[in-house]
Amino acid sequence: MMDETTRARLVAAALEARERAYAPYSHYPVGAALLTASGRVFTGVNVENAAYPSGMCAERVAVFKAVSEGERSFEAIAIAAAHGAPPCGACRQVLAEFSTAMAVLVVDEQGRVLQETTLGELLPAPFDPSFLPPKGT
Ligand code: ZN
C-alpha cells in the first residue's frame, strides 16, 4: 500500500492539477492524480466544451494520458474537487478495466482526504472482458 509520502504526493498532485481544469461552464474544477505501479504520477483535469457532451472527466484524462505513455498498472488515484466527490460511473468503468484493487482517495479543495476506498468497492460488478464473445466468433 501507499506510504504517507506517496499519499501526500498524490493528494498534492491532484490539488495542483485542479488549478488547470478547464471548467468554464460548470465552474466545477476537478483534478486527478493517478499513481502507477512504476511510481509515476499522471494528472488529469476535467476539460469541458461548448458542445457539452464532448468534455471529459479528470479521472479519464489521467488514465488516458498514462495508457498513452505505456502505463497500464495503477495503484491509486486521488481526485480533488470542492467538498470532495467520488468518480462518476463512466470513470469507475474505465478505471476498473485496469484494476479494481486500486485505492481511491476522495479529496476536498483543502487537500483533506474525505474518503479512502477501493475501486472494487465503488464498482463491485464492472463490465469486464469475460462478457465479450471469444475471439473469432
Ligand atoms: Zn467521470
Side-chain angles (χ1 to χ4, degrees):
M1 236 350 256
M2 267 183 304
D3 59 40
E4 279 307 308
T5 305
T6 305
R7 182 188 162 100
R9 174 180 168 223
L10 204 60
V11 168
L15 271 181
E16 186 189 340
R18 181 172 174 263
E19 301 292 319
R20 299 188 291 273
Y22 180 71
Y25 309 108
S26 71
H27 305 288
Y28 186 74
V30 180
L34 181 66
L35 175 67
T36 71
S38 62
R40 297 171 77 188
V41 172
F42 289 85
T43 59
V45 299
N46 52 333
V47 181
E48 296 181 349
N49 191 275
Y52 283 18
S54 299
M56 182 51 63
C57 298
E59 299 93 317
R60 274 178 285 167
V61 169
V63 171
F64 297 159
K65 282 172 66 179
V67 172
S68 70
E69 296 293 326
E71 299 282 355
R72 293 181 181 177
S73 183
F74 307 127
E75 293 195 342
I77 187 167
I79 304 150
H83 314 297
C88 77
C91 287
R92 293 178 197 201
Q93 177 63 38
V94 167
L95 290 162
E97 178 78 14
F98 299 99
S99 169
T100 52
M102 82 173 80
V104 178
L105 306 180
V106 174
V107 178
D108 73 6
E109 70 276 30
Q110 310 294 327
R112 289 178 295 232
V113 178
L114 302 183
Q115 184 185 9
E116 180 163 358
T117 183
T118 64
L119 196 69
E121 287 182 40
L122 293 175
L123 188 65
F127 183 89
D128 66 30
S130 70
F131 294 102
L132 295 172
K135 279 182 183 165
T137 61

